[in-house]
Amino acid sequence: MQEVNPKETTRDYAFEMWMKAPMPMVTIIKTLDVTHLQNISRKRGLKFNMLMCWCIGRAASRIKEFYMLSVGDKLIKYDSIAVNTIVAKSRGEVSSCDIPFSDDFSLFNDNYINLTRRVAETCENHDITDSMVIGTSALAQYDIDGAVGMYSGIFNNPFFIWGRYRRLWFKTRLTVSFQFHHTQMDGAHAARFLDLLQKEITQAY
């Protein structure tokens, strides 16, 4: 990771326009067809949440805007991506766990299982500070239509929220909320990312 001069990037105008905006976050809500992931999860005994996180990482890794993020008053360029998941702790609360993204599905799955287990057992967060982290929060036990994340003014990372998936006839659908900082990307980049995410979900594993 390294600090870059915004004027030497394609985010120059966005950095100037949105860095000091009181609310620079944008949220897009989209319903995805996750039939394929749900089938893989059931037949192969894989965690649905892990599959979603891997597909998110796969889609994000193909869009260059995901490798830059405004941190404080600086624009930082990263060499790698991680996907964050929220882990239920033994005490009934939650901790945060960053999973390094890898195109190698087996490696990502192993990291997901081992790191989330460690976080659950130790009740300590696992943070990766040298990767651009995509946050996720799966409210899988609840039926929600959408969610808008808060803007803390500290973390500008992109963030996903989803609830319980829904079965309708032969399809399984999942509504996701994707929040991003306007300095990092524009609406067109985010929409393209969500289209890529749907393709990754359909073709996964």
Side-chain angles (χ1 to χ4, degrees):
M1 54 181 287
Q2 61 178 344
E3 180 183 355
V4 294
N5 183 350
K7 294 186 180 300
E8 297 175 357
T9 73
T10 57
R11 303 309 299 161
D12 178 26
Y13 179 76
F15 190 88
E16 182 180 345
M17 287 293 295
W18 297 103
M19 271 305 294
K20 295 183 179 180
M23 181 53 194
M25 309 303 286
V26 179
T27 301
I28 296 179
I29 295 175
K30 182 178 177 69
T31 299
L32 302 167
D33 181 348
V34 296
T35 308
H36 182 59
L37 283 197
Q38 197 267 337
N39 288 338
I40 292 174
S41 174
R42 186 181 69 252
K43 292 178 181 178
R44 300 185 181 272
L46 298 168
K47 292 182 178 295
F48 180 85
N49 190 67
M50 180 279 298
L51 291 165
M52 276 294 295
C53 288
W54 186 67
C55 289
I56 288 169
R58 284 265 296 180
S61 69
R62 284 149 175 74
I63 296 180
K64 64 182 178 63
E65 282 74 20
F66 274 89
Y67 290 89
M68 284 191 290
L69 184 69
S70 54
V71 179
D73 59 354
K74 300 176 181 178
L75 188 63
I76 305 297
K77 183 177 181 181
Y78 294 86
D79 296 320
S80 58
I81 287 174
V83 182
N84 170 273
T85 188
I86 301 301
V87 179
K89 298 192 289 188
S90 56
R91 301 170 190 162
E93 299 174 354
V94 296
S95 288
S96 173
C97 182
D98 294 344
I99 316 294
F101 172 71
S102 172
D103 252 337
D104 184 328
F105 176 81
S106 295
L107 177 59
F108 184 85
N109 184 43
D110 287 346
N111 283 332
Y112 182 97
I113 292 170
N114 293 330
L115 291 173
T116 54
R117 180 185 295 131
R118 184 193 307 169
V119 168
E121 292 173 351
T122 64
C123 298
E124 295 180 359
N125 294 341
H126 178 263
D127 299 322
I128 298 177
T129 58
D130 58 354
S131 293
M132 204 296 299
V133 180
I134 304 169
T136 73
S137 181
L139 306 172
Q141 66 271 43
Y142 301 108
D143 206 4
I144 61 174
D145 292 322
V148 178
M150 70 171 188
Y151 174 54
S152 67
I154 301 172
F155 299 108
N156 296 331
N157 302 62
F159 194 80
F160 265 95
I161 302 174
W162 62 83
R164 179 186 297 154
Y165 53 66
R166 298 168 178 172
R167 295 185 180 91
L168 180 63
W169 296 101
F170 300 107
K171 298 287 186 181
T172 303
R173 302 194 180 279
L174 180 70
T175 300
V176 299
S177 167
F178 176 55
Q179 178 179 272
F180 59 94
H181 196 288
H182 214 326
T183 293
Q184 183 178 26
M185 68 185 79
D186 299 323
H189 299 123
R192 176 170 168 254
F193 161 67
L194 291 171
D195 282 349
L196 282 175
L197 175 58
Q198 178 63 79
K199 291 178 182 177
E200 292 296 341
I201 288 171
T202 303
Q203 301 168 3
Y205 197 62

